[in-house]
Amino acid sequence: EKVLGAEHPDVATSLNNLAGLYESMGDTDRALPLVLRSLDIREKVLGDEHPDVATSLNNLAALYEAKGDTDRALPLFLRSLDIWEKVLGAEHPDVATSLNNLAALYKTTGDTDRALPLYQRSIDILEKVLGSEHPSTITVKENMNKLVLKLK
């Protein structure tokens, strides 16, 4: 911040990363203001449709989901997905990750009818782009399989 200024994109990245550390430690209360600040910087400096804005939106949504606030998380996940699809294309791995995250939220809320096709779309993208043996592909397949087993 001293060298680059308080609103530099690299500062936003550092804030985002620190928030991720706090979240991984289970301290969502310390993570939340950092992600909010990161998002604010990125929107001001990079614009509303930059991939880094989508990353901050996704991370903010994940924080709200972790806190049990699915109503706040849903529009953020949707906006993040929309940005990634517009900027990176419909078959980018970040789109697949976003679809997986959105599917997980729908799973949490009990909306399996929305979750299943999102998991499948994510798998289709990942298999095409990264292959069926890639760890990301395997993770999403496992997420979908857990949901399918739960439905039986």
Side-chain angles (χ1 to χ4, degrees), residues 9-10 29 31 97 147:
D10 289 349
D29 291 335
T97 298
L147 178 56

Side-chain angles (χ1 to χ4, degrees), residues 96-146:
T97 298
S98 189
L99 290 165
N100 176 69
N101 294 345
L102 184 56
L105 178 73
Y106 283 132
K107 177 184 168 191
T108 298
T109 63
D111 193 344
T112 57
D113 290 339
R114 287 192 172 154
L116 286 171
L118 294 173
Y119 278 134
Q120 189 58 59
R121 185 171 161 220
S122 178
I123 291 166
D124 292 345
I125 293 167
L126 292 170
E127 284 182 336
K128 183 177 181 179
V129 177
L130 301 177
S132 61
E133 299 303 314
H134 190 277
S136 296
T137 308
I138 291 168
T139 297
V140 179
K141 284 181 180 178
E142 288 172 354
N143 291 344
M144 184 169 168
N145 288 337
K146 287 177 191 174

Side-chain angles (χ1 to χ4, degrees), residues 13-140:
T13 299
S14 292
L15 291 165
N16 198 57
N17 293 343
L18 183 57
L21 176 62
Y22 283 134
E23 183 182 10
S24 71
M25 295 167 46
D27 194 346
T28 56
D29 291 335
R30 286 179 86 177
L32 186 58
L34 299 174
V35 172
L36 287 168
R37 187 168 162 223
S38 173
L39 175 59
D40 183 57
I41 293 168
R42 286 175 166 172
E43 286 179 322
K44 284 180 186 172
V45 176
L46 303 173
D48 290 339
E49 293 193 351
H50 191 279
D52 289 350
V53 171
T55 298
S56 287
L57 289 165
N58 184 76
N59 293 346
L60 181 58
L63 273 175
Y64 283 134
E65 183 179 14
K67 292 169 92 41
D69 193 344
T70 56
D71 290 337
R72 278 185 147 164
L74 180 59
L76 297 168
F77 275 136
L78 290 169
R79 185 172 163 217
S80 174
L81 174 60
D82 183 58
I83 292 168
W84 275 323
E85 285 179 321
K86 284 180 184 173
V87 176
L88 302 176
E91 294 188 347
H92 191 277
D94 287 348
V95 170
T97 298
S98 189
L99 290 165
N100 176 69
N101 294 345
L102 184 56
L105 178 73
Y106 283 132
K107 177 184 168 191
T108 298
T109 63
D111 193 344
T112 57
D113 290 339
R114 287 192 172 154
L116 286 171
L118 294 173
Y119 278 134
Q120 189 58 59
R121 185 171 161 220
S122 178
I123 291 166
D124 292 345
I125 293 167
L126 292 170
E127 284 182 336
K128 183 177 181 179
V129 177
L130 301 177
S132 61
E133 299 303 314
H134 190 277
S136 296
T137 308
I138 291 168
T139 297
V140 179

